[in-house]
Structure formats: structure tokens, C-alpha cells
């Protein structure tokens, strides 16, 4: 069941997501060769607690950390590690909190120093795919219009979208209905209405779309070892169209 939010609730979800966006911005500034992602996990947790927010992922279905830190061929749910990042890596950081009863959730992928042209193109394409999806998050459209826009953008340059993980409704729970796939034919699924709030989160692989989860039960990698990028925004559907709630200063 999709839970519609009042303008007042959307404002609260925005406040939660602005905290997430600001924390991701700070983490991004810490990313350089030699940084380890365990430090980033600690910083994310401290910054959340300093903002009177609770990290949303830690303890969620047993996930052991505040931050998901997925390097190179890791797609999502990578465990923070003491292993230092090196020049040329790409790092996906997915972070969520709850703040005054409402959840925030967003993700970015950033370069570590100078990265290869294909890594750059992968990150740029994944972000563009996210924004193509966001454009479709308007009243009167259908859910799979978002999915289709994302898939088309990613596949236009020969990349592939992960099928096994999807975006989601968000509000008083981290994961609400509807599921938001990153692939599909247009014009299908529920009709989008003002008051819906969804996290749109394409994961795009440089190679094939298949992924596998490692023995730790979380870390998910591409089956073919190709690079993967992940961007996520929490978005409200309003009468005026899509509004990105997880933007640090009304931008991004
Ligand atoms: N953005 C991801 C999601 O919505 C992050 C979840 S990590 C988890 O599923 F640990 F909380 F599962
Ligand atoms: Co999410």
C-alpha cells in the first residue's frame, strides 16, 4: 500500500534528507587515496548523532554499519573497511538516517583521485539516468515511466542496469511501497500522485547486469567483475512535478 504524505510530512522528510545530503557532501570531501571507508563510516555516524539523527542502516535486518561503502565492482551494501582507497577507485556511498520520525536516504558515487575514462563515464551516466528517472516522477505518469527512462539512459551507451535491487517508497519507514525498478517498459504500474515520496536509486554496471552477494550476506558485486556506480535521491511527487528532497542546498 502506497502511503501518501501531506505537505507538512514532505517537509519533515525533506529535513531528514537534507541532513543526509550534507553528510554525504562532507564524506565526499574526505575521499582521497589513503582514506579508508571505516573512517568514513565513523564520520557518518558521528555527524548523524550530532544532528540528533539516528543512522538508519545500522541494525537494519542485521546490517552492521551506518554507511554502505561499495568500491569498484561492488554494487551495493559494501562493508566499510580499513583497507585504504587507492587512486583510480570509484566509491559508492549510500547513507540513511531517521530524524524526528522520518527517513532520509541518498547515495553518490565519487572518484578517488584520477579515474579511468570508463569509470568517469559510468558515474556520469548513472547520475544522468537518475535525473532522467526523476523527470518522470510527476503526477499522471506511471511508475514504470521512471524505470524506463533510467534503463534507456544507461543502455544508450552500452551499460546495464541492475535488476536485483530497486528503489522504494520512503517516509516513516525506510522501505515502503512502491518498489521502483530501474528497468522496464513505459506506461505500466501505479499512476503517480501528489504526496508520493520515493527513493530512486539506479545501480549501473559497465558490463553485464548480473550481480551476486558474497558470503558476508550483504556485499553485492558484479558477476563479471565490471565496475558499478550507484546514485540515489529521495523525491517527492507534487502538483508542480518532482521535488528532490535529498539536495544539500536546493541544488545537486
Ligand atoms: N539505499 C539502500 C536501500 O534503500 C540502503 C539500504 S542498506 C541497509 O535499500 F543496510 F539498510 F539495508
Ligand atoms: Co534506498
Amino acid at each position: 500500500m502506497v502511503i501518501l504524505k501531506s505537505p507538512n510530512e514532505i517537509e519533515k522528510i525533506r529535513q531528514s534528507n537534507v541532513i543526509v545530503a550534507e553528510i554525504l557532501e562532507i564524506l565526499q570531501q574526505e575521499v582521497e587515496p589513503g582514506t579508508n571507508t571505516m573512517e568514513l563510516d565513523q564520520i557518518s555516524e558521528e555527524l548523524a548523532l550530532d544532528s540528533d539523527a539516528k543512522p538508519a542502516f545500522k541494525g537494519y535486518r542485521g546490517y552492521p554499519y551506518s554507511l554502505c561503502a561499495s568500491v569498484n565492482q561492488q554494487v551495493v551494501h559494501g562493508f566499510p573497511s580499513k583497507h585504504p582507497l587507492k587512486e583510480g577507485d570509484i566509491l559508492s556511498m549510500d547513507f540513511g538516517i531517521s530524524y524526528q520520525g522520518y527517513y532520509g536516504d541518498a547515495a553518490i558515487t565519487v572518484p578517488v583521485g584520477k579515474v579511468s575514462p570508463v569509470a568517469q563515464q559510468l558515474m556520469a551516466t548513472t547520475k544522468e539516468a537518475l535525473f532522467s528517472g526523476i523527470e518522470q516522477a510527476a503526477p499522471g505518469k506511471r511508475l514504470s515511466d521512471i524505470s524506463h527512462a533510467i534503463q534507456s539512459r544507461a543502455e544508450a551507451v552500452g551499460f546495464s542496469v541492475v535488476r536485483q535491487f530497486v528503489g522504494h517508497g520512503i517516509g516513516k519507514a525506510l522501505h515502503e511501497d512502491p518498489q521502483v525498478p530501474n528497468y522496464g517498459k513505459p506506461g505500466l504500474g501505479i499512476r503517480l500522485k501528489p504526496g508520493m515520496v520515493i527513493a530512486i536509486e539506479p545501480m549501473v554496471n559497465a558490463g553485464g547486469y548480473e550481480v551476486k552477494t558474497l558470503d558476508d550476506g550483504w556485499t553485492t558485486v558484479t558477476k563479471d567483475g565490471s565496475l558499478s556506480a550507484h546514485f540515489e535521491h529521495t523525491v517527492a511527487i507534487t502538483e508542480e512535478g518532482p521535488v528532490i528532497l535529498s539536495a544539500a542546498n536546493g541544488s545537486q
Side-chain angles (χ1 to χ4, degrees):
M1 184 199 51
V2 176
I3 303 166
L4 296 180
K5 279 84 182 179
S6 67
N8 188 37
E9 283 183 294
I10 290 175
E11 175 54 22
K12 287 183 167 162
I13 302 170
R14 192 186 67 80
Q15 285 171 14
S16 182
N17 275 283
V18 166
I19 295 171
V20 170
E22 286 172 353
I23 291 175
L24 282 173
E25 217 164 70
I26 294 168
L27 295 178
Q28 176 170 6
Q29 287 163 16
E30 297 294 323
V31 173
E32 57 184 18
T35 308
N36 74 60
T37 54
M38 196 64 88
E39 295 165 1
L40 299 175
D41 177 64
Q42 273 155 20
I43 295 169
S44 73
E45 184 166 322
E46 280 164 22
L47 290 171
L49 297 175
D50 285 351
S51 307
D52 295 319
K54 189 173 164 300
F57 301 165
K58 199 172 197 168
Y60 181 86
R61 297 179 176 223
Y63 185 77
Y65 299 97
S66 296
L67 184 70
C68 295
S70 309
V71 180
N72 295 336
Q73 79 288 352
Q74 295 178 345
V75 178
V76 281
H77 304 161
F79 284 177
S81 147
K82 290 205 166 134
H83 186 78
L85 294 167
K86 59 180 195 307
E87 180 100 19
D89 286 343
I90 61 171
L91 169 66
S92 300
M93 295 186 285
D94 189 349
F95 188 61
I97 60 166
S98 69
Y99 176 70
Q100 296 188 356
Y102 290 88
Y103 280 85
D105 186 10
I108 54 175
T109 302
V110 299
V112 181
K114 192 170 158 38
V115 302
S116 70
V118 68
Q120 264 172 31
Q121 194 197 11
L122 179 67
M123 292 187 291
T125 300
T126 309
K127 194 169 180 176
E128 284 162 24
L130 169 59
F131 279 87
S132 323
I134 292 171
E135 258 177 45
Q136 299 297 314
K141 299 274 188 181
R142 287 191 186 266
L143 187 66
S144 85
D145 293 332
I146 297 172
S147 316
H148 180 73
I150 291 170
Q151 181 178 23
S152 307
R153 185 70 196 81
E155 292 184 354
V157 290
F159 296 144
S160 58
V161 292
V162 172
R163 272 85 159 140
Q164 203 170 311
F165 297 94
V166 295
H168 49 93
I170 179 167
K172 285 188 178 164
L174 176 61
H175 293 139
E176 295 181 359
D177 287 342
Q179 294 196 351
V180 186
N182 296 302
Y183 66 98
K185 295 195 177 104
L188 303 174
I190 58 167
R191 202 172 280 284
L192 302 178
K193 284 200 194 115
M196 292 179 179
V197 179
I198 53 177
I200 306 177
E201 49 178 321
M203 289 137 267
V204 177
N205 299 346
Y209 67 79
E210 287 185 307
V211 299
K212 62 179 181 197
T213 299
L214 303 184
D215 286 341
D216 63 22
W218 284 100
T219 311
T220 299
V221 299
T222 56
K223 255 194 191 163
D224 60 11
S226 64
L227 292 176
S228 188
H230 179 206
F231 282 85
E232 176 176 21
H233 267 312
T234 294
V235 177
I237 295 158
T238 74
E239 303 280 3
E240 285 77 42
V243 176
I244 297 175
L245 303 180
S246 48
N249 298 312
S251 63
Q252 207 173 70

